[in-house]
Amino acid sequence: MDFKADAQRMEKIVSLCKRRGFIFQSSEIYGGLNGAWDYGPLGVELKRNVKNYWWRVMVHERDDSDLMVDCRLTGKRFRADQIPAQSGTVYRFDQARDVIPPESAFEILVSWAADLLPPGESVSRKDSIRLALLVSDHRKFNLPKSNTTPLSIYEFFVEFAKKMSSQPDISENEVDDFLQAYNSPPPETVSGDSIRLLQRKGEDKATILKRAEAFYQLRNIHVPMMWPTTEDVTDSRDFNAENGAELTPPRPFNLMFRTNIGATESEDSIAYLRPETAQSIFVQFKNILEVSRKKLPFGIAQIGKAFRNEINPRNFTFRSREFEQMELEYFCRAEEGMKLLDYWLEERLKFYENIGISRGRLHVKTVPDEERAFYSKGTYDIEFDFPFGFQELEGVAYRTDYDLLQHQKASGKSLEYFDEETKQRFVPHVVEPSAGVDRTVLALICEAYSEDEAPDEKGKMETRLVLRFHPRMAPIKCGIFPLLKNNNQLVAKAKEIVGLLRTHMNVFYDESGAIGRRYRRQDEIGTPFGVTVDFETLGEKDAALRDTVTLRERDSMKQKRVAIKDLAGILSARIS
Ligand code: ATP
C-alpha cells in the first residue's frame, strides 16, 4: 500500500466531489459542521440511484420482501450495562519516575567510573547501570546484578551507594549528594498521574505491577519506579471487571441524539434519534405481519436516516454523525439462520458487482467470536478497498431471535409467528444485511475515479479525469451537445433529442465551449454517453445520414453513428 499516493488520491476525490457538486461539507459558510455532509446535485442523483437499485433488487424483484414505514424516532431509552460489584485488594500508585539516575546523580557516577572507562568513550545516562557495575566489580562489592524490574534497579543503586560510602577515598558528602539526587524526583517524574488497580481473583502482585507499568509507559515513563499502597475494598463498582482499572466517575455520554417530543420539555417526552433503522422494523414486526400475511422466510426492508452521536467523524463521509442505511430484516426459522446468512452474503456481493464495484476490491471478513455482538451467531463484514484501507461497507449478521424477544418482553405484546402447517407458534429468527448508503456512494466514487491520457482539441495528449461509473449508477446518463451553439438548426435538433430521452433517463444539455471540453466535463462527472448533433444530422453532407447522431462512449472514447429514433432503446438497454 502506498500511503502517500492513497492519501493524495483521497484528497483529489474530496476536491472533485466539492468542485463538481457531489458532496459538500454541511453548513460550510458558517465554518462547517463536523461529521455532517450535504449532497450536491450530482451526489443526490448518485445516492438516489444506489437506493433505487437496492430497493429494486431487495424488494420489487422479490416475492418475499415488504416495505416499511419510515420512522426516525426511537422511544426506548439506552441503559448502560450493570457494572458488577467486586471485592479485593486495591493497589494505589501515586507516583512513577524513571529509575535511571537523573543528570546530577549521573555526573557523580561518571566521576566514580572515570578511570575505568576506555579513553574517549562517551557515555549517556542509559549506561548508568553498566557504569555502576564497572565500579562495583573494580571495588569488589559483589553486588548482585539487578534484574530489569524497576524496583530491583532502584534497590541496586541504593545498595551501590551504601557500599560507596564505606570507601576511604570517597567522601560522605559525595555519596549523600548522589543519593539525594537519585531519590529526589527528577523533572520527568509523573506526579498526579496516579492509578488504582484492583487485584482480581487469581492475580499476583507482579501482574498488577505490569499493568501499572503499561499505564506509565503510555505516558512515556519507560522504567517507572512505583510504590503502591494497598487497601481492601468490598462490593465496589468502581473497577473495570475486565482489567481491574479504576473507572472514572460516571459522565453523561451521548451515544444518541436526544430530543423532546412536543412543544414543552419534560422527562416523559425524551426521545432519541435512532442509531440504526433495524429497531423500527422489529417494533413494527407485528403490524407488518398482520397486513402482509407473508409466510416465513420473508423480509422487511427499510431505507432511512440513522444518527450516531458517539462516533469520531473521519475519512470524509465514511463515518458521519448523520447517515442513511439500507437494511433488510429477513425473518426465518431458527434452523435456516446459518444457511441464510451465507445466502445473503452472496446476494449482497452480487449487488455490489452489479453497481460496478469489482469483486477484487471487496473483502469478506468473518467476524470472530470475540468481536461479534453477543446475540449474533454469525456475522460477515463486507469490506471495500478505500484509499484509506479496507473498511466495512456492509454487515451481514444472523441476529437470532434476540431483538424480537427483547421487544416482546419489554412491550408485553406477542411477536410470535403462527405456522399454519405445523400449527406451531414461535418467535422468528432474523438475518440482517445492513448497508450504508453514504459508504456505498463513497465506494462508488473511489472505485470510479481514474486518470488517463486523451488528446485535447489540438491533438496534444493531456491527463483526462474520468469517473468510470457503471451506467446504472451514473448521475447523468447522457450528455447532449449541438456541435455549434449559434446554429439554430443544430440547437433545435439537440433540444428535440433532450425531449425524446428525458422520459427514459437523466440527461444534460450543454452547448457552451469546444466539443472536446464538453466531453471532458461529462467524463469528469461520470456521464457514460454523449450524443453530438452535427451537420450530418441535418443531412447536409449525406442525405442517408439525416437524423443520425454520433454516440460517444466515455470509457473507450469511441464514437459511432446511430439513428436518433434508436437512441432511447440503445441507451436504455445499456443503463438498466
Ligand atoms: P463501523 O464499525 O464501521 O462504525 P458498524 O459496525 O457500527 O460500522 P453497523 O451498525 O453494522 O455499522 O451499521 C451498518 C452499516 O451502516 C455499516 O456497514 C455502514 O455501511 C453504515 N454505517 C454505520 N455507521 C456509520 C457512520 N457513522 N457513517 C456512515 N455510515 C455508517
PDB file of all heavy atoms in Angstrom, residues 79-85 237 239 241 247:
ATOM      1  N   ARG A  79     -29.810   2.049  28.214  1.00  0.00           N
ATOM      2  CA  ARG A  79     -29.332   1.907  29.600  1.00  0.00           C
ATOM      3  C   ARG A  79     -27.986   1.214  29.625  1.00  0.00           C
ATOM      4  O   ARG A  79     -27.777   0.198  28.976  1.00  0.00           O
ATOM      5  CB  ARG A  79     -30.336   1.078  30.391  1.00  0.00           C
ATOM      6  CG  ARG A  79     -31.635   1.830  30.619  1.00  0.00           C
ATOM      7  CD  ARG A  79     -32.092   1.752  32.069  1.00  0.00           C
ATOM      8  NE  ARG A  79     -31.925   0.449  32.647  1.00  0.00           N
ATOM      9  CZ  ARG A  79     -32.925  -0.438  32.748  1.00  0.00           C
ATOM     10  NH1 ARG A  79     -34.111  -0.164  32.273  1.00  0.00           N
ATOM     11  NH2 ARG A  79     -32.725  -1.590  33.328  1.00  0.00           N
ATOM     12  N   ALA A  80     -27.078   1.783  30.415  1.00  0.00           N
ATOM     13  CA  ALA A  80     -25.740   1.188  30.497  1.00  0.00           C
ATOM     14  C   ALA A  80     -25.838  -0.184  31.154  1.00  0.00           C
ATOM     15  O   ALA A  80     -26.710  -0.420  31.970  1.00  0.00           O
ATOM     16  CB  ALA A  80     -24.834   2.076  31.321  1.00  0.00           C
ATOM     17  N   ASP A  81     -24.951  -1.071  30.765  1.00  0.00           N
ATOM     18  CA  ASP A  81     -24.941  -2.396  31.407  1.00  0.00           C
ATOM     19  C   ASP A  81     -24.607  -2.254  32.883  1.00  0.00           C
ATOM     20  O   ASP A  81     -23.871  -1.364  33.269  1.00  0.00           O
ATOM     21  CB  ASP A  81     -23.876  -3.285  30.747  1.00  0.00           C
ATOM     22  CG  ASP A  81     -24.346  -3.774  29.404  1.00  0.00           C
ATOM     23  OD1 ASP A  81     -25.567  -3.878  29.210  1.00  0.00           O
ATOM     24  OD2 ASP A  81     -23.485  -4.027  28.570  1.00  0.00           O
ATOM     25  N   GLN A  82     -25.134  -3.131  33.666  1.00  0.00           N
ATOM     26  CA  GLN A  82     -24.813  -3.120  35.093  1.00  0.00           C
ATOM     27  C   GLN A  82     -23.332  -3.455  35.276  1.00  0.00           C
ATOM     28  O   GLN A  82     -22.826  -4.388  34.665  1.00  0.00           O
ATOM     29  CB  GLN A  82     -25.643  -4.198  35.766  1.00  0.00           C
ATOM     30  CG  GLN A  82     -27.046  -3.739  36.066  1.00  0.00           C
ATOM     31  CD  GLN A  82     -27.141  -3.288  37.503  1.00  0.00           C
ATOM     32  OE1 GLN A  82     -26.828  -4.053  38.390  1.00  0.00           O
ATOM     33  NE2 GLN A  82     -27.536  -2.066  37.718  1.00  0.00           N
ATOM     34  N   ILE A  83     -22.679  -2.669  36.127  1.00  0.00           N
ATOM     35  CA  ILE A  83     -21.271  -2.974  36.408  1.00  0.00           C
ATOM     36  C   ILE A  83     -21.234  -3.926  37.604  1.00  0.00           C
ATOM     37  O   ILE A  83     -21.853  -3.642  38.624  1.00  0.00           O
ATOM     38  CB  ILE A  83     -20.500  -1.684  36.735  1.00  0.00           C
ATOM     39  CG1 ILE A  83     -20.571  -0.752  35.530  1.00  0.00           C
ATOM     40  CG2 ILE A  83     -19.066  -1.975  37.132  1.00  0.00           C
ATOM     41  CD1 ILE A  83     -20.249   0.673  35.856  1.00  0.00           C
ATOM     42  N   PRO A  84     -20.536  -5.047  37.505  1.00  0.00           N
ATOM     43  CA  PRO A  84     -20.559  -5.986  38.629  1.00  0.00           C
ATOM     44  C   PRO A  84     -19.825  -5.434  39.858  1.00  0.00           C
ATOM     45  O   PRO A  84     -18.822  -4.726  39.723  1.00  0.00           O
ATOM     46  CB  PRO A  84     -19.841  -7.216  38.078  1.00  0.00           C
ATOM     47  CG  PRO A  84     -19.055  -6.726  36.925  1.00  0.00           C
ATOM     48  CD  PRO A  84     -19.735  -5.518  36.390  1.00  0.00           C
ATOM     49  N   ALA A  85     -20.356  -5.757  41.050  1.00  0.00           N
ATOM     50  CA  ALA A  85     -19.678  -5.351  42.282  1.00  0.00           C
ATOM     51  C   ALA A  85     -18.511  -6.304  42.514  1.00  0.00           C
ATOM     52  O   ALA A  85     -18.637  -7.509  42.311  1.00  0.00           O
ATOM     53  CB  ALA A  85     -20.653  -5.419  43.438  1.00  0.00           C
ATOM     54  N   ARG A 237     -18.166  -0.915  42.936  1.00  0.00           N
ATOM     55  CA  ARG A 237     -18.479  -0.842  41.495  1.00  0.00           C
ATOM     56  C   ARG A 237     -17.560   0.155  40.791  1.00  0.00           C
ATOM     57  O   ARG A 237     -17.857   0.661  39.728  1.00  0.00           O
ATOM     58  CB  ARG A 237     -19.936  -0.401  41.296  1.00  0.00           C
ATOM     59  CG  ARG A 237     -20.939  -1.426  41.739  1.00  0.00           C
ATOM     60  CD  ARG A 237     -22.342  -1.028  41.342  1.00  0.00           C
ATOM     61  NE  ARG A 237     -23.304  -1.836  42.049  1.00  0.00           N
ATOM     62  CZ  ARG A 237     -23.636  -3.079  41.712  1.00  0.00           C
ATOM     63  NH1 ARG A 237     -23.092  -3.628  40.669  1.00  0.00           N
ATOM     64  NH2 ARG A 237     -24.507  -3.755  42.430  1.00  0.00           N
ATOM     65  N   PHE A 239     -14.496  -0.434  39.744  1.00  0.00           N
ATOM     66  CA  PHE A 239     -13.408  -1.016  38.948  1.00  0.00           C
ATOM     67  C   PHE A 239     -13.918  -1.783  37.734  1.00  0.00           C
ATOM     68  O   PHE A 239     -14.967  -2.426  37.787  1.00  0.00           O
ATOM     69  CB  PHE A 239     -12.545  -1.933  39.835  1.00  0.00           C
ATOM     70  CG  PHE A 239     -11.896  -1.179  40.955  1.00  0.00           C
ATOM     71  CD1 PHE A 239     -12.542  -1.045  42.179  1.00  0.00           C
ATOM     72  CD2 PHE A 239     -10.683  -0.547  40.759  1.00  0.00           C
ATOM     73  CE1 PHE A 239     -11.973  -0.301  43.201  1.00  0.00           C
ATOM     74  CE2 PHE A 239     -10.109   0.200  41.781  1.00  0.00           C
ATOM     75  CZ  PHE A 239     -10.751   0.325  43.006  1.00  0.00           C
ATOM     76  N   ALA A 241     -14.355  -4.656  35.375  1.00  0.00           N
ATOM     77  CA  ALA A 241     -14.328  -6.095  35.647  1.00  0.00           C
ATOM     78  C   ALA A 241     -13.311  -6.809  34.765  1.00  0.00           C
ATOM     79  O   ALA A 241     -12.855  -7.897  35.088  1.00  0.00           O
ATOM     80  CB  ALA A 241     -15.714  -6.680  35.426  1.00  0.00           C
ATOM     81  N   LEU A 247     -12.543   2.933  37.422  1.00  0.00           N
ATOM     82  CA  LEU A 247     -13.363   3.631  36.430  1.00  0.00           C
ATOM     83  C   LEU A 247     -13.454   5.113  36.797  1.00  0.00           C
ATOM     84  O   LEU A 247     -13.412   5.467  37.979  1.00  0.00           O
ATOM     85  CB  LEU A 247     -14.773   3.026  36.393  1.00  0.00           C
ATOM     86  CG  LEU A 247     -14.831   1.547  36.015  1.00  0.00           C
ATOM     87  CD1 LEU A 247     -16.206   0.977  36.317  1.00  0.00           C
ATOM     88  CD2 LEU A 247     -14.496   1.365  34.546  1.00  0.00           C
TER      89      LEU A 247
END
